[in-house]
């Protein structure tokens, strides 16, 4: 039978080999449904790679798509590190987006250097406030945060629909349910003229670096990790577990809220109920691919974004459903999970012991 | 005011309640079975989608309706096998794996649907389960019309409640299943296989979840739509806690949720748009969260829930 023996340290070559192996495994698994659907497998993958990073334009699209994924990936990574199972980044993203249009679409008129930070802080606060509700329920009443954060996603999306069909509806939008556009002063500038890539990417990368430093170099970062590794031991050692949980909630929800702000203020300009094609859930995948490391979230988000952008352009070229992208991402997640076992454990074959 | 109460006297309302509750009954039973054995299965949302799509496709391709039900159950068990393999012998995070299974099952179902029907505007239809013709009871006033709107698939849901309750409470297998979610070391000491029991529970539970999805395409509607599951699976996860992992309470919770949903639909027509429809749609979720918070203190979680078990490692 098989037994897992924990490794004391993981050699670098193994980490690299496992990452590459997981990627290849995901592609092989995806090749199966692709072949069954009658598509030319090899050229499909080539087209996907070209669509994701074939030229400057494709690369910019991938980075644009990666921006909200870095935010939601960081949100999942910081929460999961503390074993706060926040499955509600999707709702927190919409809360941030709602705050962005509430503050940025005419309520306040101020120059960019005042309005833009106000909008971003407001969005982060909205996302954080939303996650603090389940954190409170968890710490005060012991209610499972998985279920509460999941269900809140639906409530927030319905609330957004209510707002953009009602009080926040843009009368100039020819009857479409969407909010008024954010003011120019509340818009994140483009990074390169002519491309959709915007300053949200820079903020996301800065946030990743800041979170990395916070988690590895500060007392509170240490406390968060300690609570995640063993909450009971942390409590026994006198660490402020509840405070640490609240802090994690603020960070995680705030980052997810920024994803919403960046999509509205940087890309779409206004709020619709299809703002996010599941960025909140994809953030969980990104965080897992990154092994919950804030810096690792950046390449992981770019990879997932590349899969989506590449699959989109491939599906247009050869007429295969772009649900293939979700399939690649799902297979990647599962292969990386299994691959992670190889880096953390040595697998030893032992003969079945006789009793 | 009277109109709002009058709804409760309409047979139509109670018929809708049972219809809306049926997929949830399957889902909560499935989630309960997995969790009783110690495995949280967040794959439920995707398994619902896969069950809805595969059952419907099987019937569309010519299988009889019950054949479609079996196919859905088989597909559910297959995803249960994936979730179980990753979480039970391999001990991976049940949250993350569950989300992965949901993503996988959903995308396979959607991708498969698009491969089978590349460019159809209106989804192809099948002939769904016909309403039951109940002898004697069907002729009663009030009760008759309620029963007369249900199908054999709903009867199956009620049978499953009884069956799961019986197995869990009265059989050695049920005892072993409950023990494996509470105290796997004791089960191991009895010479039983923790891995085997958990895998079996996850596969059976996932098969039940898939039936919940199949009910939507084979009985409630006659076609498969994108986004038709729309959070039903997640609601089942909430209802499982609400039901304290008991089949009888699971049935009650599902019916309560069904009633709430059916009621809000009818209340909307009474208020005539004075209240935004989204408020009504939010109510079931808000009530689920409120119920969770209220029962959380008393919630008797299976003690080994979400804790991987490795033989000989403590």
């Amino acid at each position: 039978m098989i037994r897992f023996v924990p490794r004391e340290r993981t050699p670098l070559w193994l980490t690299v080999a496992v990452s590459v192996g997981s990627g290849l495994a995901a592609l092989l698994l995806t090749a199966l449904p692709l072949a069954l659907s009658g598509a030319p497998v090899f050229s499909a993958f080539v087209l996907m790679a070209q669509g994701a990073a074939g030229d400057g334009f494709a690369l910019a699209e991938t980075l644009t798509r990666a921006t909200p994924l870095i935010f939601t990936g960081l949100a999942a990574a910081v929460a999961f590190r503390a074993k706060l199972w926040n499955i509600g980044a999707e709702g927190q993203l919409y809360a941030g987006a709602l705050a962005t249009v509430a503050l940025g679409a005419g309520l306040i008129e101020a120059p960019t250097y005042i309005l833009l930070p106000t909008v971003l802080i407001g969005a982060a606060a909205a996302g954080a406030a939303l996650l603090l509700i389940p954190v409170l329920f968890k710490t005060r009443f012991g209610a499972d945060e998985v279920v509460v954060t999941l269900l809140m996603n639906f409530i927030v999306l319905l609330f957004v629909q209510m707002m953009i069909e009602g009080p926040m509806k843009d009368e100039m939008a020819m009857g479409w349910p969407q909010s008024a556009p954010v003011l120019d002063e509340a818009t994140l500038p483009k990074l390169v003229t002519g491309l959709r890539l915007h300053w949200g990417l820079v903020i996301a990368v800065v946030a990743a670096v800041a979170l990395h430093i916070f988690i590895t170099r500060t007392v509170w970062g240490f406390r968060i990790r300690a609570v995640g590794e063993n909450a009971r031991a942390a409590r026994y050692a006198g660490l402020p577990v509840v405070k640490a949980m609240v802090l994690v909630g603020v960070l995680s929800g705030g980052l997810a809220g920024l994803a919403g702000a960046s999509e509205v203020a940087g890309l779409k300009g206004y709020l619709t109920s299809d703002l996010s094609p599941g960025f909140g859930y994809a953030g969980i995948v990104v965080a897992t691919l990154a092994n919950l490391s804030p810096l690792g979230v950046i390449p992981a988000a770019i990879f997932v974004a590349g899969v989506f952008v590449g699959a989109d352009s491939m599906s247009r070229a050869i007429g295969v459903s772009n649900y293939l992208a979700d399939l690649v991402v799902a297979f990647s997640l599962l292969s990386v999970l299994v691959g992670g076992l190889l880096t953390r454990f040595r697998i030893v074959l032992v003969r079945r012991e006789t009793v | 005011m009277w109109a709002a109460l009058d709804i409760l006297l309409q047979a139509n309302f109670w018929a809708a309640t049972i219809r809306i509750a049926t997929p949830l009954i399957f889902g909560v039973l499935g989630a309960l079975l997995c969790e009783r054995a110690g495995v949280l299965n967040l794959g439920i949302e995707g398994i619902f989608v896969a069950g809805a799509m595969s059952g419907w496709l099987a019937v569309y391709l010519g299988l009889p309706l019950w054949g479609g039900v079996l196919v859905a159950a088989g597909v559910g068990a297959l995803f249960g096998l994936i979730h179980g393999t990753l979480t039970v012998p391999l001990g991976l995070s049940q949250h993350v794996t569950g989300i992965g299974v949901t993503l996988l099952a959903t995308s396979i179902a959607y991708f498969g649907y698009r491969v089978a029907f590349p460019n159809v505007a209106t989804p192809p239809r099948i002939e769904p389960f016909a309403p039951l013709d109940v002898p004697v009871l069907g002729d009663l006033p009030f009760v008759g019309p309620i029963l007369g709107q249900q199908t054999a698939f709903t009867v199956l849901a009620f049978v499953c409640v009884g069956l799961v309750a019986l197995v869990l409470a009265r059989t050695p297998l049920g005892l072993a299943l409950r023990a494996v979610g509470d105290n796997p070391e004791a089960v191991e000491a009895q010479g039983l296989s923790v891995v085997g029991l958990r895998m079996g529970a996850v596969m059976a539970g996932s098969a039940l979840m898939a039936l919940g999805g199949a009910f939507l395409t084979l009985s409630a509607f006659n076609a498969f739509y994108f986004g038709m599951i729309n959070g039903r699976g997640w609601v089942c996860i909430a209802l499982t806690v609400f039901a304290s992992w008991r089949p009888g309470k699971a049935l009650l919770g599902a019916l309560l949720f069904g009633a709430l949903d059916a009621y809000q639909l009818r209340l909307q027509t009474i208020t005539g748009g004075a209240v935004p429809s989204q408020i009504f749609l939010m109510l079931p979720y808000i009530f689920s969260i409120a119920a969770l918070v209220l029962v959380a203190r008393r919630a008797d979680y299976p003690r080994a829930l979400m804790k991987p078990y490795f033989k000989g490692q403590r």
Side-chain angles (χ1 to χ4, degrees):
Chain A
M1 63 170 286
I2 298 168
R3 185 164 285 185
F4 301 114
V5 181
R7 282 177 193 278
E8 278 173 18
R9 39 195 295 273
T10 309
L12 183 66
W13 66 264
L14 186 69
T15 314
V16 174
V18 163
S19 312
V20 174
S22 309
L24 287 178
L27 288 183
L28 273 176
L29 285 166
T30 321
L32 201 69
L34 203 53
L36 286 176
S37 74
V41 175
F42 186 72
S43 53
F45 282 127
V46 171
L47 281 168
M48 240 174 110
Q50 280 175 352
D55 52 46
F57 180 77
L59 204 61
E61 272 305 296
T62 296
L63 290 176
T64 308
R65 184 69 87 96
T67 303
L69 288 175
I70 297 177
F71 284 118
T72 55
L74 291 173
V78 65
F80 286 13
R81 278 228 164 182
K83 293 223 166 62
L84 177 75
W85 300 105
N86 173 18
I87 322 278
E90 186 80 359
Q92 292 139 27
L93 179 152
Y94 274 105
L98 202 59
T100 304
V101 288
L103 295 169
L107 180 72
I108 307 168
E109 290 197 30
T112 304
Y113 62 89
I114 294 176
L115 188 55
L116 198 50
T118 309
V119 161
L120 293 176
I121 292 168
L130 193 68
L131 181 53
L132 281 182
I133 300 171
V135 169
L136 183 83
F137 287 168
K138 179 189 169 78
T139 52
R140 288 307 283 278
F141 307 109
D144 184 35
E145 78 276 17
V146 177
V147 187
V148 180
T149 51
L150 259 175
L151 294 178
M152 284 175 74
N153 290 342
F154 291 91
I155 298 176
V156 175
L157 193 60
L158 284 165
F159 186 71
V160 165
Q161 284 169 4
M162 189 172 100
M163 295 309 276
I164 59 180
E165 283 174 22
M168 287 170 77
K169 183 170 179 174
D170 183 9
E171 296 305 333
M172 313 298 283
M174 322 284 274
W176 290 108
Q178 65 184 48
S179 77
V182 289
L183 303 175
D184 282 347
E185 288 81 6
T187 302
L188 285 163
K190 297 277 179 261
L191 274 176
V192 187
T193 38
L195 295 176
R196 303 205 304 158
L197 198 57
H198 55 88
W199 269 85
L201 178 69
V202 178
I203 301 175
V205 170
V206 169
V209 174
L211 191 64
H212 169 76
I213 294 170
F214 176 78
I215 287 204
T216 54
R217 301 286 157 83
T218 66
V219 176
W220 276 103
F222 164 75
R223 286 176 180 167
I224 288 173
R225 280 182 292 150
V227 168
E229 264 145 42
N230 193 338
R232 267 169 70 189
R235 191 169 289 127
Y236 187 71
L239 290 184
V241 173
V242 171
K243 273 188 194 161
M245 275 297 169
V246 169
L247 178 64
V248 169
V250 169
L251 285 174
S252 177
L255 285 161
L258 281 178
S262 132
E263 282 300 278
V264 170
L267 198 60
K268 301 279 166 63
Y270 50 84
L271 176 58
T272 54
S273 62
D274 61 356
L275 178 75
S276 160
F279 287 133
Y281 303 104
I284 296 168
V285 178
V286 168
T288 309
L289 297 187
N291 198 17
L292 306 189
S293 138
L295 290 182
V297 160
I298 300 171
I302 294 173
F303 168 74
V304 171
V307 167
F308 277 110
V309 172
D312 258 353
S313 91
M314 183 269 286
S315 75
R316 277 194 303 274
I318 57 175
V320 171
S321 154
N322 59 359
Y323 287 110
L324 191 75
D326 291 303
L327 212 52
V328 180
V329 169
F331 279 135
S332 309
L333 172 67
L334 297 176
S335 335
V336 165
L337 278 175
V338 175
L341 276 180
L342 296 174
T343 58
R344 278 180 286 124
F345 297 96
R346 279 187 305 132
I347 294 178
V348 183
L349 285 171
V350 285
R351 262 188 292 161
R352 190 175 277 279
E353 60 262 64
T354 42
V355 183
Chain B
M1 181 64 211
W2 288 116
L5 286 176
D6 200 37
I7 293 172
L8 299 177
L9 296 175
Q10 296 166 7
N12 216 336
F13 161 74
W14 292 103
T17 294
I18 295 175
R19 195 167 53 239
I20 296 169
T22 303
L24 303 177
I25 296 173
F26 283 117
V28 187
L29 277 184
L32 175 157
L33 210 55
C34 297
E35 290 182 25
R36 266 295 173 96
V39 181
L40 175 74
N41 190 350
L42 293 184
I44 185 167
E45 182 78 8
I47 295 173
F48 256 74
V49 179
M53 152 68 188
S54 60
W56 169 83
L57 189 66
V59 173
Y60 180 80
L61 293 176
L63 279 189
L65 282 166
W66 287 111
V69 173
L70 276 180
V71 167
V75 166
L78 204 66
F79 283 109
L81 181 68
I82 297 175
H83 184 64
T85 308
L86 296 175
T87 54
V88 179
L90 296 182
L92 293 168
S93 157
Q94 295 180 4
H95 293 95
V96 178
T97 306
I99 297 284
V101 169
T102 281
L103 197 58
L104 182 67
T106 308
S107 49
I108 286 183
Y110 286 180
F111 183 75
Y113 182 84
R114 269 282 166 257
V115 170
F117 307 97
N119 295 306
V120 288
T122 46
R125 292 160 181 279
I126 54 149
E127 193 58 50
F129 275 96
L132 285 177
D133 190 9
V134 193
V136 191
L137 283 176
D139 298 330
L140 291 174
F142 197 68
V143 178
I146 297 175
L147 292 177
Q149 286 193 36
Q150 311 306 328
T151 67
F153 211 148
T154 295
V155 176
L156 179 68
F158 283 82
V159 171
C160 285
V161 173
L163 218 60
V164 171
L166 196 74
V167 168
L168 275 180
R170 293 287 158 85
T171 64
L173 175 69
L175 183 69
L177 270 181
R178 282 182 288 140
V180 91
D182 260 338
N183 191 349
E185 288 83 12
V187 173
E188 193 77 60
Q190 293 275 319
L192 296 169
S193 162
V194 172
V195 171
L197 281 164
R198 285 190 169 173
M199 289 293 291
V202 174
M203 287 177 71
S206 304
L208 282 171
M209 294 168 180
L211 290 187
F215 174 83
L216 292 174
T217 47
L218 297 183
S219 184
F221 305 99
N222 49 18
F224 177 79
Y225 308 95
F226 291 102
M228 76 186 304
I229 303 305
N230 192 25
R232 280 187 176 84
W234 306 135
V235 166
C236 292
I237 296 286
L239 284 175
T240 311
V241 186
F242 175 74
S244 318
W245 295 271
R246 286 169 203 286
K249 284 190 180 171
L251 175 66
L252 197 73
L255 285 171
L256 210 65
F257 195 96
L260 202 68
D261 212 12
Y263 195 77
Q264 61 91 4
L265 279 172
R266 283 157 182 77
L267 207 58
Q268 272 184 55
T269 54
I270 293 178
T271 56
V275 182
S277 61
Q278 287 90 359
I279 295 272
F280 294 108
L281 293 172
M282 277 180 210
L283 286 179
Y285 298 111
I286 293 173
F287 275 106
S288 294
I289 292 176
L292 279 183
V293 171
L294 286 177
V295 300
R297 278 251 181 270
R298 294 181 286 114
D300 194 8
Y301 278 85
R303 266 166 299 176
L305 183 62
M306 291 182 257
K307 296 199 181 85
Y309 176 80
F310 298 111
K311 194 171 185 170
Q313 279 178 17
R314 282 239 50 198

